[in-house]
Amino acid sequence: MTLAHAATSRPVVDVDDPATWPRPLADLIYKIAHEAELDEPELYVDLELEDREAQVLDLLRGHLLRAQHCTRLLDHEADAIRAHGLRPLDAALVDDRLDQAHERGYLTAAEREVLRSQSMVVPGRQRMGDREGQVCLTLSAEATSHDIGGAWRLLSFWGGEAIYWQHCDDPAGLAQRLRSLGRPTLVTAYVDLASPGRHLVFKSVVHTFVGKAIGYAPANADVLYRDAIPPQHIESVVFPGDPAYDRLPGLPTA
């Protein structure tokens, strides 16, 4: 569902849609792409473009970038994102999700406490890097259907990595319970990446644009956004059955 209040006075740039690229940015990106000598388009990630990142971010100043957050939500959680935006991961967010799921009858008290005690935000239990203090997104929506494995768990297990990571590979534990809660959800949001040094992007913004310019549809970047995303920067929250979700083939439908 596209949100009526998702509005901004700043222009929105979509890496998947060159028509939205500011002209100075497009000129630079297509120049780099033209000069790149690649045997295979997927080798765009090997281009030495790190010295161009600051220039590209400067050309994006005053603009917002469209990004995507893959998750699995209960209905009240989707409503909360529409009303309040996306919150960076911390212990309070994990507690809120677990407490509200328990209060609404989705989790037993015992299940809530197991998930709380083994969550990624419990000191000493983090793995796969520290996710606290950030919202995880991707720059390309189109890339989701090319890298289904990267999004599958996020869309299949409720709670986000911070909650499900300890359990998703244990069929005798809470895995089936977490698969039964909520619906696969794609949240489209607008982010400001023009201030270098605060947010992290892998591989880089410039690599993503150049990959798209040479025609490599799966070109993408992971964004670790170190700030809350306000509700006016939430474009849509969609589920299976919504055209914006179903246009990406191969994603979980339940």
Side-chain angles (χ1 to χ4, degrees), residues 62-96:
H63 297 75
L64 296 170
L65 274 169
R66 183 175 278 115
Q68 181 175 260
H69 178 69
C70 297
T71 187
R72 189 177 183 92
L73 298 176
L74 297 162
D75 288 345
H76 70 272
E77 295 174 320
D79 291 340
I81 290 174
R82 296 184 186 107
H84 305 294
L86 284 165
R87 296 164 55 184
L89 173 65
D90 60 14
L93 175 59
V94 169
D95 285 345
D96 283 349

Side-chain angles (χ1 to χ4, degrees), residues 23-183:
R23 182 60 181 270
L25 174 66
D27 288 346
L28 173 64
I29 294 299
Y30 282 111
K31 179 177 183 293
I32 296 172
H34 179 72
E35 293 172 350
E37 297 181 1
L38 298 176
D39 295 327
E40 300 292 340
E42 60 266 28
L43 298 179
Y44 79 97
V45 294
D46 295 329
L47 292 171
E48 295 184 3
L49 302 176
E50 288 74 13
D51 60 338
R52 297 284 198 169
E53 182 78 343
Q55 183 181 7
V56 166
L57 292 177
D58 189 60
L59 291 173
L60 286 168
R61 197 169 302 280
H63 297 75
L64 296 170
L65 274 169
R66 183 175 278 115
Q68 181 175 260
H69 178 69
C70 297
T71 187
R72 189 177 183 92
L73 298 176
L74 297 162
D75 288 345
H76 70 272
E77 295 174 320
D79 291 340
I81 290 174
R82 296 184 186 107
H84 305 294
L86 284 165
R87 296 164 55 184
L89 173 65
D90 60 14
L93 175 59
V94 169
D95 285 345
D96 283 349
R97 296 193 71 177
L98 293 174
D99 289 344
Q100 290 186 37
H102 170 60
E103 290 167 7
R104 287 168 168 79
Y106 295 109
L107 293 174
T108 67
E111 289 170 337
R112 175 185 61 177
E113 293 314 309
V114 168
L115 292 171
R116 192 197 313 274
S117 67
Q118 297 185 8
S119 76
M120 193 180 287
V121 296
V122 173
R125 286 195 175 271
Q126 291 94 333
R127 76 175 186 184
M128 301 171 1
D130 187 355
R131 299 288 198 273
E132 289 191 69
Q134 58 202 22
V135 181
C136 296
L137 310 108
T138 57
L139 280 184
S140 172
E142 297 296 335
T144 302
S145 59
H146 292 271
D147 181 22
I148 295 172
W152 188 269
R153 284 190 175 184
L154 291 166
L155 296 167
S156 298
F157 293 92
W158 175 80
E161 286 180 315
I163 291 174
Y164 75 61
W165 70 272
Q166 180 77 358
H167 309 278
C168 57
D169 292 324
D170 181 11
L174 284 169
Q176 289 306 112
R177 186 75 167 133
L178 295 175
R179 285 181 70 99
S180 73
L181 299 179
R183 291 183 284 172

Side-chain angles (χ1 to χ4, degrees), residues 173-218:
L174 284 169
Q176 289 306 112
R177 186 75 167 133
L178 295 175
R179 285 181 70 99
S180 73
L181 299 179
R183 291 183 284 172
T185 312
L186 299 179
V187 181
T188 300
Y190 307 146
V191 296
D192 181 359
L193 297 180
S195 299
R198 175 168 175 77
H199 311 294
L200 298 179
V201 183
F202 302 101
K203 178 145 187 201
S204 72
V205 176
V206 63
H207 277 92
T208 308
F209 276 105
V210 170
K212 297 295 184 181
I214 64 176
Y216 189 61

Side-chain angles (χ1 to χ4, degrees), residues 224-242:
L224 306 181
Y225 197 71
R226 293 175 167 171
D227 207 348
I229 300 176
Q232 63 268 28
H233 289 173
I234 302 296
E235 179 182 279
S236 63
V237 180
V238 298
F239 311 99
D242 292 316

